Amino acid sequence: MSALQGQLVGWIAPVLPAKPLDTTDTIAALVAEYSTTLYRVAFSVTRNAAEAEDAVQETFLRVLRHQSQIAEIRDLRVWLVRIVWNVVLDRKRRVKTRPENEDIDDHVRTLTSGGRAADAEVISSEQCAHILRLIDRLPHKEREALLLSAMQELSTVEIAAVLETTESSVRSRIFRARRELAIMLEKAGIPR
C-alpha cells in the first residue's frame, strides 16, 4: 500500500458511516486498488501534487456519499476516473488560473536516486515539463483524450465513457492531438 493509499484509508475510515462491514471493506478495497490511478489522472491535469491528492480525497468522499450505487456499477475504474476527472475540472473552472512555476517538491519526489546522473535527470525533467506545456496548448477536446490515453492508459471505450462521447470521436481526437503535438515538438526542436 502506498503512502497516499494509507493516508486515504486512514483519513476516510473515521468518517465511514455505521454500515455493515462489507461496505467499509469495499471502500477500503477501492482506495487500495484505484487511488494511484486516480492520483495520476488528477496530477496529469493539475500538475500539482497537493491538488491531485485533494481531488482523490474528494473523489472518495463522493463515493462514500453514493456508496449504495457501487453494486450497480459495471466498471468501477471508469466510474472512479470519471468522478476524479469531474472533480479536477470543477476545481479548474473555479480557479481559472494555473501556476506558472511547478513546485520544487514535485520534482524532488520524481527524481530517482540511481540510474542517470542528476544533470541528465534535470534535463529530462525540463523536457518533460516543456512537452506538458505543449500538450496544454492543444485544443481542449484533443488534450483531454490524449491525457486519458497516453498518461492514464485508458482504452478508447473507457475514454469515451469518461468524456461521454463516441469511440470514433475519441480515436479522431487522439489522432489529431498526436499529429499536432508532433508538429509542435518538431518546431521546438525536441526529438520524438
Side-chain angles (χ1 to χ4, degrees):
M1 182 180 287
S2 73
L4 175 64
Q5 291 169 337
Q7 184 180 25
L8 286 170
V9 170
W11 183 76
I12 289 176
V15 297
L16 287 173
K19 295 280 183 183
L21 185 59
D22 59 302
T23 303
T24 304
D25 290 343
T26 301
I27 301 289
L30 289 175
V31 169
E33 186 171 351
Y34 296 110
S35 62
T36 302
T37 300
L38 298 180
Y39 175 82
R40 286 181 15 217
V41 169
F43 188 81
S44 73
V45 177
T46 65
R47 308 272 172 21
N48 181 293
E51 288 179 27
E53 289 174 2
D54 288 347
V56 173
Q57 287 181 354
E58 176 64 26
T59 298
F60 285 111
L61 283 175
R62 290 184 185 188
V63 168
L64 282 172
R65 281 187 228 126
H66 301 287
Q67 61 188 327
S68 61
Q69 296 178 1
I70 292 175
E72 301 166 8
I73 305 300
R74 286 186 292 169
D75 191 340
L76 289 172
R77 180 175 181 237
V78 171
W79 183 62
L80 291 168
V81 168
R82 178 181 280 174
I83 293 171
V84 77
W85 188 260
N86 288 334
V87 166
V88 171
L89 292 181
D90 288 347
R91 288 173 180 231
K92 280 186 78 167
R93 284 185 200 112
R94 275 186 249 132
V95 175
K96 292 284 188 188
T97 60
R98 286 186 63 162
E100 290 296 319
N101 299 339
E102 292 183 11
D103 188 4
I104 191 68
D105 291 333
D106 291 337
H107 285 294
V108 170
R109 287 185 204 137
T110 60
L111 290 176
T112 58
S113 60
R116 295 189 282 183
D119 56 342
E121 192 69 38
V122 168
I123 291 169
S124 176
S125 179
E126 288 174 2
Q127 284 180 335
C128 182
H130 185 71
I131 291 170
L132 290 173
R133 284 191 298 274
L134 291 176
I135 290 172
D136 284 342
R137 291 176 33 201
L138 291 171
H140 177 71
K141 290 180 179 182
E142 284 77 7
R143 181 178 61 243
E144 285 180 336
L146 182 67
L147 287 173
L148 289 172
S149 172
M151 300 185 102
Q152 306 317 318
E153 300 174 356
L154 294 180
S155 70
T156 306
V157 174
E158 293 169 327
I159 296 169
V162 170
L163 298 178
E164 298 176 335
T165 188
T166 64
E167 291 177 54
S168 62
S169 176
V170 168
R171 284 190 294 272
S172 295
R173 290 176 187 181
I174 292 171
F175 174 78
R176 288 191 306 267
R178 287 179 178 161
R179 183 182 62 207
E180 193 166 332
L181 185 59
I183 292 168
M184 288 190 287
L185 288 171
E186 189 174 311
K187 287 180 182 178
I190 298 175
R192 291 185 276 167

